Amino acid sequence: MSDSVLFSFFRKLYRQGIPLGASDYLLALEAMRSGSGLEDLEQLKRLLRLLWTKSLEDQELFDQEFKKSVEPHLNPALVTLQAKEGFENIEQFKLLCHLLWTQSPKEQELFNQAFAEFVEPQLQLLTPSPQSPTPEQAKPLKPPVSLPSLGPSEPSGLNSEPFTKVIPKLEKQKQQARAWKGVEVHFDLVRTLSPSAKLSKLETSHHYQLTPRLPMSVREMAVTWRQLRRPQRVGRAEELDVPETINNICRTGLLWRPVLRPCRRNQVRLVVLIDQQGSMAPFSLLVEAIREGMNRGGLFGRVCFYYFHDCPEKYLYQHPQLTKAIPLETVLSEQAQGNSVLMISDAGAAYGFYDEQRQRDTRTFLTTLSNYTYLYAWLNPMPRYRWKATTAEDIARIVPMFSLDREGLNDMVNILRGYPFPPGVDLNE
């Protein structure tokens, strides 16, 4: 595989939002130069997926892009470098994990303890029993295509009847029995093979997204925020006013001097009110991304942030920890007068129930805000389908509320620029 194809594939994955860095690319190069993953196309795909993907979503994007960008350019017959067929024993497997996952002596010590306690006892179940060796068992350990059968003389802690129910599930989940050869440790397999595993847990498989993934990248947010502009002619008169100059010539018959006018400058000012703590605590990373997108989108120095809890009432706060209180009327009169105002809150959608008191307090606040500006909107980090039967559904009828996606952010920016409210949104209804 040439570096050009590999690097192009790497860049496409990065642009699709998979968290990758230069160290990941160099690690893949080092692994390939040592011969890993060069047996065939499938082994190369498995190696790169192991190094570059960190979640199920990443794996789906990886598989799609690999099939589109790599497979058409790579002929398996051209791969001449050969590698070992898997690993001869557990120590070789442990050594590879050591090289990929640890950097400092402290990390190596922790790795050895965790490997000896959790992984090694379970991997022993993949090897035949040493009490009754056979000619096949005397050979170096080869990775089996399917799980070894457990006979009556082999102590396992699992009876044969439930184990036959487990095998189809394991083969269906990306042939997990071949994970030994591909160095892709699947801990669901380890738990399944554990004698203490409960079969009831195998009926359902739960997957958790542990890698932070934003609905939009910061770069995409910045591009959208650049559209928030309010050009006005202010400052010194230094731009030629062609129509007025022509009118002056027509009136006097002479060109005494050109008529100048001020240049158009972006005079937008944005006040952002952010809900803190409670149900908004899980969205702290998202709020920071929105702030960074505003700064990159040309709003640096044109935006001010204030904080509240659940609903803006008598006071707003200048610090995210809800300290340094300042009266609401002061903020609205000094900062929001004639400017754009954005509220960021789940509006009760995260809890999933209806709070009538919160709805009344929000309506009171919006009525006060409308006396200072009509350029206001609400950004809800929860998807729209989660608003149903919650306080957010009622609040969305009295203020333009949008979910955080490309379409929602574009529509929200248009409202802050002065576009009319969407149909069905009326504060006085």
Side-chain angles (χ1 to χ4, degrees):
M1 184 175 185
S2 62
D3 286 352
S4 59
V5 176
L6 179 64
F7 186 66
S8 176
F9 175 53
F10 178 84
R11 291 181 60 187
K12 290 179 180 179
L13 294 179
Y14 176 78
R15 290 174 179 174
Q16 291 189 20
I18 296 181
L20 294 172
S23 60
D24 299 303
Y25 179 73
L26 296 177
L27 183 60
L29 285 181
E30 182 180 355
M32 293 175 60
R33 287 169 182 168
S34 66
S36 299
L38 299 179
E39 300 92 334
D40 51 39
L41 186 61
E42 187 62 28
Q43 291 299 324
L44 176 61
K45 180 180 179 180
R46 188 184 295 271
L47 172 68
L48 296 180
R49 187 196 295 157
L50 171 67
L51 296 178
W52 290 351
T53 62
K54 303 174 178 64
S55 67
L56 294 176
E57 295 178 359
D58 292 348
Q59 292 179 11
E60 293 177 2
L61 293 175
F62 177 93
D63 292 340
Q64 296 174 4
E65 194 61 41
F66 189 90
K67 184 177 181 179
K68 181 174 62 175
S69 303
V70 178
E71 290 184 0
H73 301 283
L74 186 61
N75 185 358
L78 298 179
V79 181
T80 57
L81 295 177
Q82 297 295 326
K84 294 182 179 181
E85 295 182 7
F87 299 94
E88 300 298 331
N89 50 44
I90 297 178
E91 290 301 323
Q92 290 190 4
F93 172 69
K94 179 179 179 181
L95 178 60
L96 177 66
C97 296
H98 227 301
L99 295 175
L100 294 179
W101 296 343
T102 63
Q103 298 179 358
S104 63
K106 184 177 180 180
E107 292 178 355
Q108 294 176 5
E109 182 180 355
L110 294 175
F111 173 86
N112 291 333
Q113 296 176 0
F115 191 92
E117 182 177 356
F118 298 108
V119 180
E120 190 170 354
Q122 310 304 332
L123 294 182
Q124 292 289 353
L125 296 176
L126 289 174
T127 63
S129 175
Q131 298 178 359
S132 56
T134 63
E136 288 77 9
Q137 294 170 342
K139 297 179 182 180
L141 179 61
K142 296 296 182 179
V145 175
S146 61
L147 288 175
S149 60
L150 298 179
S153 61
E154 295 174 332
S156 62
L158 288 175
N159 53 42
S160 58
E161 181 179 356
F163 190 77
T164 58
K165 298 180 181 180
V166 175
I167 292 179
K169 295 180 179 295
L170 299 179
E171 292 179 348
K172 185 178 179 180
Q173 296 177 3
K174 302 190 307 180
Q175 297 180 350
Q176 293 177 355
R178 298 178 57 191
W180 176 276
K181 181 177 180 180
V183 202
E184 186 175 355
V185 180
H186 198 299
F187 287 99
D188 287 341
L189 172 64
V190 174
R191 296 191 186 97
T192 301
L193 293 176
S194 174
S196 60
K198 294 183 179 179
L199 295 178
S200 60
K201 294 184 179 180
L202 296 176
E203 299 300 329
T204 58
S205 178
H206 300 280
H207 302 287
Y208 298 91
Q209 177 66 35
L210 301 180
T211 304
R213 295 292 298 273
L214 300 175
M216 295 179 62
S217 66
V218 176
R219 183 177 180 275
E220 292 174 324
M221 294 182 189
V223 172
T224 304
W225 284 117
R226 291 192 185 102
Q227 303 174 14
L228 182 58
R229 300 181 59 84
R230 193 183 306 164
Q232 297 178 357
R233 297 189 180 278
V234 295
R236 296 178 55 187
E238 51 188 22
E239 179 184 291
L240 177 63
D241 189 345
V242 176
E244 191 62 29
T245 301
I246 294 176
N247 291 335
N248 194 18
I249 293 175
C250 294
R251 288 195 302 268
T252 63
L254 298 173
L255 177 60
W256 293 99
R257 59 183 179 182
V259 180
L260 302 179
R261 60 183 177 183
C263 297
R264 289 183 180 271
R265 293 180 173 85
N266 185 19
Q267 297 299 305
V268 68
R269 292 292 184 274
L270 179 62
V271 180
V272 182
L273 309 180
I274 304 175
D275 190 1
Q276 285 291 109
Q277 302 179 2
S279 59
M280 283 296 293
F283 301 107
S284 58
L285 181 65
L286 183 60
V287 171
E288 287 302 317
I290 295 174
R291 294 188 57 167
E292 185 177 355
M294 290 179 179
N295 292 332
R296 292 188 185 182
L299 295 179
F300 182 78
R302 302 177 181 274
V303 58
C304 54
F305 299 92
Y306 295 94
Y307 303 89
F308 63 93
H309 179 60
D310 284 351
C311 176
E313 295 179 327
K314 295 182 179 180
Y315 294 93
L316 296 175
Y317 302 90
Q318 303 180 48
H319 195 274
Q321 300 300 325
L322 303 183
T323 58
K324 298 183 178 179
I326 183 171
L328 175 63
E329 291 289 345
T330 302
V331 174
L332 296 181
S333 60
E334 295 181 357
Q335 303 290 345
Q337 183 73 44
N339 295 324
S340 302
V341 179
L342 172 65
M343 287 77 71
I344 302 178
S345 173
D346 69 300
Y351 284 138
F353 61 84
Y354 186 84
D355 187 346
E356 185 177 357
Q357 183 62 40
R358 183 170 185 171
Q359 195 272 346
R360 288 198 299 265
D361 293 342
T362 303
R363 179 185 288 272
T364 302
F365 162 72
L366 293 174
T367 302
T368 304
L369 177 63
S370 62
N371 296 328
Y372 295 91
T373 181
Y374 67 96
L375 303 171
Y376 56 86
W378 195 295
L379 186 62
N380 196 324
M382 297 295 293
R384 186 174 292 272
Y385 72 89
R386 293 286 302 273
W387 303 355
K388 188 175 182 180
T390 68
T391 316
E393 186 178 25
D394 266 13
I395 296 178
R397 297 191 181 103
I398 59 177
V399 60
M401 183 180 292
F402 304 94
S403 57
L404 185 56
D405 50 35
R406 293 178 181 86
E407 182 179 358
L409 197 61
N410 282 323
D411 293 342
M412 182 204 65
V413 168
N414 288 334
I415 294 295
L416 296 179
R417 291 171 58 189
Y419 280 50
F421 285 4
V425 177
D426 187 2
L427 180 61
N428 299 319
E429 70 172 359

